[in-house]
Amino acid sequence: MNIQIGDIGHIIQLAIAPVFLLTGVCTNLLVLTNRLARIIDRSRVLEDRLDIGYSDVYLNELDVLYRRSHLINTAITLSTACGLLICLVIAMLFLGDITNLSLDKYIAGMFVAAMLCLIGSFCFLLREIFIASAAMRSHRHVRRPLK
């Protein structure tokens, strides 16, 4: 367990790439939480309007917002799991080098699992964007010709 300065430098070099990946995952989480906040704000407005009076248009929009929020929540869960797995990869890099344990297969497995979570998160985000875009196009007003 005699750790040399050069060993720590080598471990830090190995951990740099996952740290940059973690930065990207955190940026993805920021985008997802911002989208969720906008969905929540809009649904509160619609629910307040429904308290005043019944409207099929508002109920239909709320249904779309609920579907979108479910997709965003799943994407947030997957991104968070990805971030956790990346942190575990970094910790295992240090732990494996310090204790001279062979954790290569575990590190590789966790990294692959992290990538699968990130891919899943992006897929759910993309699906949510498609639903939001389709809802926007369905509410589009038709331009009247000028007289």
Side-chain angles (χ1 to χ4, degrees):
M1 180 114 166
N2 189 7
I3 301 172
Q4 301 294 322
I5 297 295
D7 293 339
I8 293 174
H10 178 68
I11 300 168
I12 291 172
Q13 285 177 340
L14 288 174
I16 291 292
V19 168
F20 282 124
L21 179 60
L22 191 58
T23 304
V25 170
C26 290
T27 304
N28 184 38
L29 277 169
L30 183 65
V31 168
L32 293 170
T33 54
N34 283 338
R35 291 185 73 83
L36 181 61
R38 292 185 59 103
I39 291 169
I40 291 170
D41 291 343
R42 180 64 183 156
S43 65
R44 285 183 182 156
V45 168
L46 291 174
E47 287 170 355
D48 288 343
R49 289 181 184 174
L50 282 169
D51 287 342
I52 297 169
Y54 179 83
S55 171
D56 279 334
V57 173
Y58 294 156
L59 284 173
N60 290 338
E61 188 175 347
L62 267 176
D63 288 341
V64 171
L65 290 172
Y66 292 151
R67 203 165 18 140
R68 287 178 56 200
S69 70
H70 176 71
L71 292 169
I72 288 293
N73 281 327
T74 305
I76 288 172
T77 301
L78 288 170
S79 282
T80 303
C82 176
L84 177 65
L85 288 167
I86 292 169
C87 288
L88 287 172
V89 164
I90 294 168
M92 289 179 84
L93 284 169
F94 279 95
L95 187 65
D97 201 56
I98 289 171
T99 61
N100 290 326
L101 291 173
S102 179
L103 300 174
D104 299 350
K105 291 180 182 178
Y106 296 109
I107 291 170
M110 283 194 188
F111 188 78
V112 169
M115 290 301 95
L116 291 174
C117 286
L118 188 60
I119 291 167
S121 175
F122 285 146
C123 289
F124 279 98
L125 173 62
L126 190 59
R127 180 70 184 130
E128 187 272 335
I129 290 170
F130 287 157
I131 290 172
S133 298
M136 181 186 69
R137 283 190 304 273
S138 71
H139 287 65
R140 186 174 151 222
H141 292 287
V142 177
R143 209 175 268 192
R144 294 186 181 133
L146 296 172
K147 295 181 181 181

